[in-house]
Amino acid sequence: MKRRFLMTGFLIATLALGGCSNVGNKTSNDKKSAQTQSTNKEGSDESVIEDLGVKYKLPESWEKIGVEGVLAGDELSFSFICPDDAKEINELGKKIDEKKVENKGKKDKADEDKLMNLYMEKMKNIGSIVRLDKSDAEKILKSDEYSKYSKKDKVGEMNNYVYYFVYNEKIDDSNLSEASKAEVENIEKSINEFKNSIKPVDPSKIKSNKKDEKASEETIKGTISFKSKTIQGKNIDSSIFKDNKLTMINIWGTTCMPCIDEMPELQELSKEVKDKGVNVLGIVADTPDEDNEELAKSILDKKGVKFDNVIPDKELHEWIIKNVKGTPTTIFVDKDGKIVGSALVGSASKDEYNAKIDEVLKSIK
């Protein structure tokens, strides 16, 4: 199951680095969470990045703090934010997010800059696995791009490529709390362990043991109520629930690739279930936000989605932050907006959604 985890405010996707943020900021298309986009598990504790042709094992201390890689072209970069520093960022992000909701999605540039500066101050880089052509590897490693690294250790060769792990033995721990400095020290102690685990691998010879995972079921209670607008600018409120026996609500985010990937099937589903008295509704979790609203509109247009997608008002936004752990999350409500049945957390197929709809319909007859 591909799952993206919610964080409030402007936080960048790499803050979570084991899921991805989807409330507040867009992620550039050329940078991907290695775990959510390109990783295959060769063993229970070894990650294989097929796009890069490399495998590695994260040290236990790195896993504990949530270190993972972000892939950008031929480089896999590892960074982290210590838990207490992440809490500080989240608290500031939440305040800014609440202010933005009050202002109907309008951003305050000074607030955004303040949060970004705090994020950049707390985010610490460990190093990167780099794949280079053998013919110009030496030249590239001497370039300004890699001058910030004191160590450039070769970790293997594969075909016409050579692999390096570039890093600094001492991680910059300035502007960190004492607790965070202790976390940094533990990571530093494991750098050699991590470096020694890195091995080039031929993706064509990897036999995947990855199984398709279904969306998990989770109990979410409450009543959904809102008075807002759709992404297309149409007035909409929760009275629309009265028009159908059941409403399936898909909560998604603009940086959530599994959410976006399942949209064509959701559109097909929305047409097929009308005869059952079921309506499909979307809620864009990382709005109101001027930029994200434009992005959501573009995504929906490209995916051919015709069913309504709601921009949360203050009440709905607060409910999402309190109750929804990750996107996509799909809930089901009756005519009164009361949540019925269990929620589905993670993407699912059209057949799986159909089966869930039939199950919930039986429970409300």
Side-chain angles (χ1 to χ4, degrees):
M1 174 183 64
K2 295 179 180 178
R3 183 172 175 182
R4 315 271 291 195
F5 292 93
L6 289 170
M7 287 203 176
T8 58
F10 186 67
L11 301 190
I12 296 175
T14 51
L15 178 56
L17 284 183
C20 290
S21 164
N22 70 355
V23 172
N25 190 52
K26 301 181 292 299
T27 310
S28 60
N29 291 331
D30 61 337
K31 290 190 177 182
K32 304 176 181 181
S33 163
Q35 292 295 336
T36 59
Q37 298 292 345
S38 305
T39 299
N40 197 5
K41 288 290 185 179
E42 188 173 70
S44 60
D45 54 2
E46 192 171 55
S47 295
V48 180
I49 311 302
E50 295 181 19
D51 292 349
L52 194 62
V54 71
K55 64 181 180 180
Y56 61 86
K57 179 181 177 181
L58 287 178
E60 185 177 340
S61 60
W62 293 23
E63 288 187 333
K64 181 179 178 181
I65 203 172
V67 174
E68 285 184 5
V70 173
L71 182 64
D74 289 330
E75 184 168 333
L76 182 63
S77 301
F78 294 84
S79 301
F80 66 97
I81 291 182
C82 295
D84 55 337
D85 294 311
K87 183 179 179 181
E88 180 184 350
I89 296 170
N90 267 318
E91 288 173 351
L92 177 59
K94 185 176 181 180
K95 291 178 182 178
I96 293 172
D97 200 34
E98 290 171 348
K99 181 178 177 181
K100 188 168 57 179
V101 172
E102 292 281 358
N103 293 331
K104 300 186 184 301
K106 187 175 181 180
K107 295 181 177 181
D108 185 312
K109 188 177 184 303
D111 284 343
E112 300 286 355
D113 288 345
K114 183 178 179 181
L115 185 58
M116 175 58 80
N117 289 337
L118 180 62
Y119 173 84
M120 296 304 294
E121 179 182 294
K122 300 297 186 181
M123 172 62 76
K124 298 302 177 182
N125 175 261
I126 299 174
S128 299
I129 300 172
V130 185
R131 180 179 67 184
L132 301 168
D133 286 327
K134 289 181 179 179
S135 59
D136 56 9
E138 186 176 342
K139 178 181 177 181
I140 292 174
L141 289 173
K142 289 180 180 179
S143 67
D144 291 342
E145 182 179 358
Y146 294 103
S147 61
K148 61 183 178 181
Y149 296 111
S150 61
K151 304 288 287 185
K152 307 177 181 73
D153 295 343
K154 183 178 175 181
V155 291
E157 296 184 15
M158 175 67 68
N159 300 324
N160 292 318
Y161 293 112
V162 60
Y163 290 80
Y164 282 83
F165 181 52
V166 295
Y167 63 101
N168 291 309
E169 291 178 293
K170 179 66 178 174
I171 298 171
D172 175 22
D173 62 2
S174 59
N175 302 311
L176 296 184
S177 66
E178 290 304 313
S180 293
K181 288 180 180 180
E183 297 277 9
V184 170
E185 186 176 349
N186 286 333
I187 289 176
E188 289 172 342
K189 290 178 180 177
S190 303
I191 285 180
N192 282 332
E193 176 189 343
F194 174 70
K195 181 183 69 176
N196 292 335
S197 78
I198 303 169
K199 300 289 187 297
V201 61
D202 187 343
S204 66
K205 296 180 180 179
I206 299 169
K207 185 176 181 180
S208 175
N209 62 358
K210 183 172 62 175
K211 297 179 180 179
D212 292 332
E213 296 183 48
K214 295 183 179 180
S216 62
E217 298 204 13
E218 185 173 312
T219 299
I220 299 179
K221 298 180 179 180
T223 300
I224 303 301
S225 178
F226 60 87
K227 186 176 182 180
S228 189
K229 292 183 179 291
T230 68
I231 286 294
Q232 302 300 334
K234 181 179 72 175
N235 290 328
I236 190 170
D237 61 62
S238 46
S239 67
I240 62 167
F241 297 145
K242 297 185 182 299
D243 298 334
N244 297 277
K245 293 179 184 177
L246 184 71
T247 300
M248 178 180 125
I249 302 177
N250 181 257
I251 303 168
W252 64 282
T254 58
T255 63
C256 170
M257 289 310 298
C259 302
I260 296 169
D261 289 343
E262 70 175 354
M263 283 184 175
E265 285 205 334
L266 288 178
Q267 174 57 31
E268 291 180 14
L269 179 72
S270 70
K271 294 187 291 184
E272 293 177 8
V273 297
K274 285 188 181 297
D275 291 341
K276 299 179 182 180
V278 178
N279 184 43
V280 175
L281 183 72
I283 293 177
V284 191
D286 52 351
T287 62
D289 179 286
E290 293 171 318
D291 293 340
N292 288 351
E293 287 167 29
E294 286 300 313
L295 179 57
K297 184 177 179 180
S298 174
I299 290 169
L300 294 169
D301 287 345
K302 289 178 180 177
K303 294 297 181 179
V305 174
K306 304 299 181 185
F307 58 84
D308 287 331
N309 276 263
V310 179
I311 298 171
D313 61 5
K314 182 179 180 181
E315 181 180 358
L316 182 55
H317 182 273
E318 290 176 350
W319 182 90
I320 291 171
I321 294 300
K322 183 179 179 181
N323 293 281
V324 178
K325 296 179 180 179
T327 57
T329 289
T330 302
I331 60 175
F332 303 86
V333 302
D334 63 14
K335 286 178 174 289
D336 299 317
K338 181 181 178 182
I339 298 174
V340 290
S342 56
L344 294 178
V345 181
S347 55
S349 68
K350 186 175 66 171
D351 289 342
E352 289 168 336
Y353 280 127
N354 246 320
K356 185 64 180 179
I357 286 171
D358 289 342
E359 174 190 321
V360 178
L361 281 171
K362 290 178 182 177
S363 72
I364 62 175
K365 285 183 178 179

